[in-house]
Amino acid sequence: IPLLCFLFLIPLNFPWSQISVTWLGVVHFLACLSPQLGSVLYHLFMNHEGGEPVYHTLLTLDMCGICMINTLGALPIVYSTLLCYPFTRTVALVVYILLSSYAIYSAITARSSVRRLRSFAWQALFRFSFFLLRWVGVGGGSPTSLQHFLTMDALAVLGGIINIARIPERFRPGLFDYWCNSHQIMHVLVVGSILYLHWGVLDDLLWINSHHCPSD
């Protein structure tokens, strides 16, 4: 359901005519879509009988979806924060893409859930540095978007912790096998995280259209 909602509702309700940097809108749409697509493929074929190679392929697709939203989802944030510093903005975008490439390699080669979660730590720290720039007033961006982005990351981290800690099923084994287990809770929180990303990026893209950088 979230996949279909993001697939159809975002492009249909996106204010394309009010956005001056169209490629950021496209990147944002792909970012919102990618984790849902990877997750659907992963869970749809979980009952396969192909053994470890097939499972590893499905897990790789799932990890790619997560990394894509971490990568593509942050590009509008970086762009907006450094809107008035073109050279620094370009360098930051390239560095973040390279960092994300390493993150996805680490995620798909990780041997445990903890290591997979840790693979995205550098991406999170990189994003947080831009949030800090906004908070101190150095970086640009919509005044309302920072709160959305902080909520986004908080929900994502909380979902990851709950999934790794196996809460609540670790306290009542067997009771949450079908409903309200940690993995399901994580997915609900991730959808909420994507929504906050969408609201924050939308605010930023509209802000870009109306903001004028000071002349040198």
Side-chain angles (χ1 to χ4, degrees), residues 27-192:
V27 163
H28 171 64
F29 170 63
L30 294 175
C32 293
L33 201 62
S34 57
Q36 303 302 320
L37 182 59
S39 180
V40 165
L41 291 174
Y42 175 73
H43 289 88
L44 184 62
F45 296 102
M46 272 298 292
N47 60 341
H48 68 88
E49 297 180 355
E52 185 177 351
V54 175
Y55 174 76
H56 183 72
T57 300
L58 293 173
L59 183 61
T60 299
L61 290 173
D62 195 22
M63 289 297 102
C64 285
I66 296 172
C67 195
M68 288 296 284
I69 190 171
N70 278 320
T71 304
L72 300 180
L75 297 184
I77 298 174
V78 175
Y79 189 99
S80 302
T81 304
L82 300 175
L83 179 66
C84 298
Y85 308 95
F87 177 76
T88 307
R89 181 182 68 214
T90 302
V91 172
L93 290 171
V94 171
V95 169
Y96 190 72
I97 291 172
L98 293 175
L99 185 66
S100 298
S101 300
Y102 175 74
I104 190 172
Y105 170 78
S106 300
I108 63 178
T109 56
R111 296 294 183 178
S112 67
S113 298
V114 175
R115 289 184 179 273
R116 278 192 289 273
L117 183 63
R118 194 182 301 166
S119 301
F120 303 111
W122 288 110
Q123 286 181 309
L125 289 174
F126 195 93
R127 286 196 308 274
F128 188 78
S129 67
F130 283 86
F131 298 158
L132 187 61
L133 287 177
R134 293 188 179 205
W135 183 69
V136 299
V138 176
S142 169
T144 59
S145 62
L146 181 58
Q147 183 177 355
H148 291 316
F149 294 143
L150 292 175
T151 305
M152 167 197 75
D153 271 345
L155 289 175
V157 170
L158 179 61
I161 292 174
I162 289 175
N163 189 46
I164 290 174
R166 297 291 185 262
I167 297 172
E169 62 267 20
R170 71 182 304 166
F171 302 115
R172 296 291 298 274
L175 183 62
F176 302 99
D177 287 351
Y178 297 103
W179 301 104
C180 300
N181 56 62
S182 59
H183 196 75
Q184 293 170 338
I185 294 172
M186 179 270 293
H187 275 291
V188 172
L189 292 174
V190 165
V191 171

Side-chain angles (χ1 to χ4, degrees), residues 1-16 29 33 195 198:
I1 293 176
L3 173 62
L4 295 177
C5 289
F6 289 133
L7 179 62
F8 294 107
L9 294 182
I10 288 182
L12 290 176
N13 293 279
F14 210 73
W16 298 102
F29 170 63
L33 201 62
L195 287 174
H198 175 64

